[in-house]
Amino acid sequence: MLREFIEKIDKKGIIKCIERPLSIKYEIAIVMKKFDGIPLLFKKVTESPQFRIISGIAGSRNLIREALNIKQENLYEKIIHAAENPKKPKEVSDAPFLKNTKDTLKELPILTHYENDGGPYITAALVYARDTDTDTQNVSFHRMMVIDDRHLAIRIVPRHLFTIFKKNKEKGKDTPVTIVIGVHPAVLISAAYPLEFGMDETWMANSLLDGKLEVISSPINNIEVPSHSEIIIEGFIDCNKEVDEGPFVDITGSYDKVRKQPIIEVEKVYFRENPIYHAILPAGEEHKILMGMPREVKIWSFVKQVVPEVKEVSLTSGGCGWLHAVISIRKHTEGDPKNAIIAAFAAHPSLKHCVVVDDDIDVHNPSDVEWAIATRFQASEDLIIINNVRGSSLDPSADQETLITTKVGIDATIPLSKRKEDFIKAKPPAEIERKILKILNKS
Ligand code: MN
């Protein structure tokens, strides 16, 4: 499925292939940074000649649409539908990754990204684990730092995997995990989506893929993983050991602090013939889309409940895909934009600044949004400041002990009491514009 997707976008000329051999130490990450937002296929990796590296496959909203075969429908509606209607995937008994087995991580092209990183990091890994109480599986993204070729430090924020790990730890047990690298973007989106505990993200992925996802029980841990996976790593999270994890760059592009985190002991590594290793550049577009887009979905659905017509939501790239939202609405009454702001803050507690614009503004175009603020916003009436609320741990300007921050909402919509014509962007006559642009395109 990942390979078919790569082939599909390659045919459309969306992928950029890098033929020249590059090193996993900084060199590949530098190229990823240079072409951030574009899918890249590195065909030659100096240290791992049998591997290719893919990056950026989920690095834009258009790529996500392409991956989910979305033409006209609303992307958010499709994702919400899949989250609410998960489907059990078909189980198969063979998978291409069973072809090659190794005992260590040695051959994997694990990248070192930035100058002061704590080591090489696996960044596009999905961790599959089973909760024995509910007999359900959980899938989540975790960054992992290489300690040696059989050990990884894993960053576990207090969510679902943490719950499973903690329950096992209390019983003195290790947590078996199967790590998956190289899957279709639908699997990535589902793993990043905030489902409730006990819901299997794989089922959501299957629903997003219209029932076409196949899974296989992993050889050691008996955990169901996509059969098309390029690479899987089997092992367990040790219930006793901890190590300094980091430094590592998070979504803001600045260094996250070093913490004591658990250790994974690797038992076996499996990979396909001509394996493709997926790497996500920390703080790059793909990181922001995968982490931020599920929150856009949530903001969209919350705002929809208080405002009749919501068009689009963007957690902007400049806002780290996490701290700044722009929401376009069709305003019906004067209070709508402020209600939208309040709903957005409720939907995404990490949100710090929120701008609401009319539906003639492109939320994905920062210059257009700034133009709306410049021409439609009056701070004395259109500004909301909320002091002393809890914000994001990722924002270095928030109080790092209490996470107390100040949130700001900006209503940059046209006041209903004023003449709309005074606020609309001037355009040339549509027919003549089309004609001239057509001529220009030909020459
Ligand atoms: Mn979960």
Side-chain angles (χ1 to χ4, degrees):
M1 303 201 108
L2 171 63
R3 291 189 183 198
E4 285 81 4
F5 177 63
I6 292 174
E7 202 176 308
K8 180 179 161 187
I9 57 176
D10 187 25
K11 271 196 190 128
K12 292 196 172 183
I14 303 174
I15 283 198
K16 185 174 172 61
C17 291
I18 314 287
E19 308 280 347
R20 142 198 266 280
L22 289 168
S23 167
I24 55 175
K25 203 154 188 202
Y26 306 119
E27 293 185 1
I28 288 176
I30 288 167
V31 178
M32 285 163 77
K33 191 162 182 285
K34 160 89 181 150
F35 298 107
D36 193 16
I38 300 169
L40 300 175
L41 182 64
F42 295 89
K43 293 197 164 170
K44 296 194 185 88
V45 182
T46 311
E47 296 86 346
S48 305
Q50 59 174 323
F51 281 83
R52 288 171 290 165
I53 296 181
I54 188 86
S55 75
I57 45 168
S60 74
R61 290 168 186 83
N62 280 341
L63 280 164
I64 304 280
R65 289 175 170 277
E66 199 70 63
L68 302 180
N69 279 319
I70 291 174
K71 303 264 149 38
Q72 293 303 314
E73 321 97 279
N74 183 305
L75 170 65
Y76 301 149
E77 269 168 7
K78 174 141 188 174
I79 293 175
I80 291 170
H81 181 265
E84 288 172 353
N85 299 278
K87 274 190 216 152
K88 187 176 166 55
K90 190 180 157 204
E91 221 187 312
V92 294
S93 57
D94 197 15
F97 65 72
L98 295 169
K99 266 268 195 254
N100 300 291
T101 313
K102 303 281 168 195
D103 293 325
T104 73
L105 301 164
K106 220 182 309 180
E107 285 172 55
L108 300 188
I110 304 173
L111 305 183
T112 306
H113 305 88
Y114 296 106
E115 212 172 5
N116 298 321
D117 287 8
Y121 260 91
I122 303 178
T123 53
L126 303 183
V127 176
Y128 288 65
R130 183 172 289 280
D131 175 50
T132 42
D133 293 345
T134 54
D135 197 33
T136 51
Q137 282 195 185
N138 189 69
V139 189
S140 43
F141 270 96
H142 297 271
R143 67 188 193 217
M144 288 168 221
M145 185 179 84
V146 176
I147 301 170
D148 59 44
D149 48 16
R150 293 207 52 151
H151 296 91
L152 297 161
I154 178 171
R155 166 74 174 133
I156 313 181
V157 295
R159 286 197 70 242
H160 299 170
L161 181 64
F162 183 79
T163 306
I164 296 171
F165 169 73
K166 208 173 123 215
K167 284 200 280 187
N168 286 334
K169 189 181 162 84
E170 276 160 12
K171 294 177 202 152
K173 283 188 187 160
D174 300 327
T175 300
V177 286
T178 302
I179 299 160
V180 168
I181 304 168
V183 280
H184 188 276
V187 181
L188 303 174
I189 294 162
S190 306
Y193 195 81
L195 289 177
E196 276 168 45
F197 187 76
M199 303 264 285
D200 187 339
E201 286 79 4
T202 311
W203 291 32
M204 174 181 169
N206 185 41
S207 188
L208 271 183
L209 289 165
D210 304 317
K212 292 188 189 110
L213 185 71
E214 291 178 347
V215 293
I216 183 168
S217 274
S218 66
I220 299 175
N221 294 332
N222 247 325
I223 293 173
E224 284 180 1
V225 296
S227 63
H228 74 273
S229 306
E230 292 288 330
I231 300 158
I232 76 164
I233 301 166
E234 294 226 88
F236 57 86
I237 311 175
D238 195 306
C239 67
N240 292 315
K241 293 181 195 150
E242 278 190 338
V243 68
D244 278 342
E245 185 270 330
F248 189 70
V249 171
D250 213 321
I251 200 167
T252 51
S254 48
Y255 273 98
D256 195 2
K257 64 178 180 217
V258 175
R259 304 175 183 83
K260 288 275 180 232
Q261 290 289 299
I263 292 179
I264 293 178
E265 188 161 328
V266 173
E267 291 170 293
K268 281 265 184 280
V269 178
Y270 303 82
F271 50 83
R272 296 176 63 145
E273 291 289 304
N274 303 312
I276 305 173
Y277 176 90
H278 181 201
I280 295 173
L281 178 71
E285 287 302 312
E286 189 171 31
H287 186 183
K288 290 174 192 167
I289 294 275
L290 283 169
M291 195 162 147
M293 209 196 52
R295 305 299 161 155
E296 288 178 359
V297 176
K298 212 167 160 202
I299 292 171
W300 182 81
S301 85
F302 270 51
V303 174
K304 207 163 160 270
Q305 289 180 38
V306 295
V307 175
E309 285 180 75
V310 191
K311 194 177 165 203
E312 283 195 84
V313 179
S314 171
L315 283 171
T316 64
S317 179
C320 316
W322 197 245
L323 302 173
H324 287 181
V326 183
I327 304 165
S328 59
I329 64 168
R330 186 183 286 264
K331 183 157 99 173
H332 287 230
T333 57
E334 203 46 80
D336 284 347
K338 289 203 178 76
N339 283 356
I341 290 167
I342 294 164
F345 283 135
H348 179 41
S350 291
L351 187 62
K352 186 175 164 190
H353 299 145
C354 178
V355 181
V356 176
V357 294
D358 296 293
D359 64 352
D360 63 329
I361 301 295
D362 178 4
V363 299
H364 302 295
N365 180 341
S367 172
D368 214 22
V369 174
E370 189 180 352
W371 178 79
I373 296 172
T375 60
R376 299 177 181 182
F377 166 74
Q378 281 294 310
S380 61
E381 296 181 7
D382 303 323
L383 181 73
I384 303 179
I385 298 177
I386 311 169
N387 289 313
N388 300 317
V389 274
R390 194 172 153 146
S392 169
S393 62
L394 297 170
D395 170 13
S397 78
D399 186 302
Q400 288 300 296
E401 290 283 300
T402 59
L403 302 183
I404 292 296
T405 191
T406 301
K407 304 198 175 195
V408 170
I410 290 172
D411 170 5
T413 59
I414 303 170
L416 292 174
S417 58
K418 297 210 169 141
R419 264 165 42 98
K420 201 172 174 189
E421 305 83 80
D422 296 339
F423 293 89
I424 298 298
K425 228 177 226 180
K427 287 188 297 240
E431 190 125 324
I432 302 174
E433 187 182 29
R434 249 198 313 276
K435 194 180 87 189
I436 295 297
L437 291 179
K438 213 167 154 187
I439 296 168
L440 273 179
N441 275 338
K442 275 182 194 153
S443 59

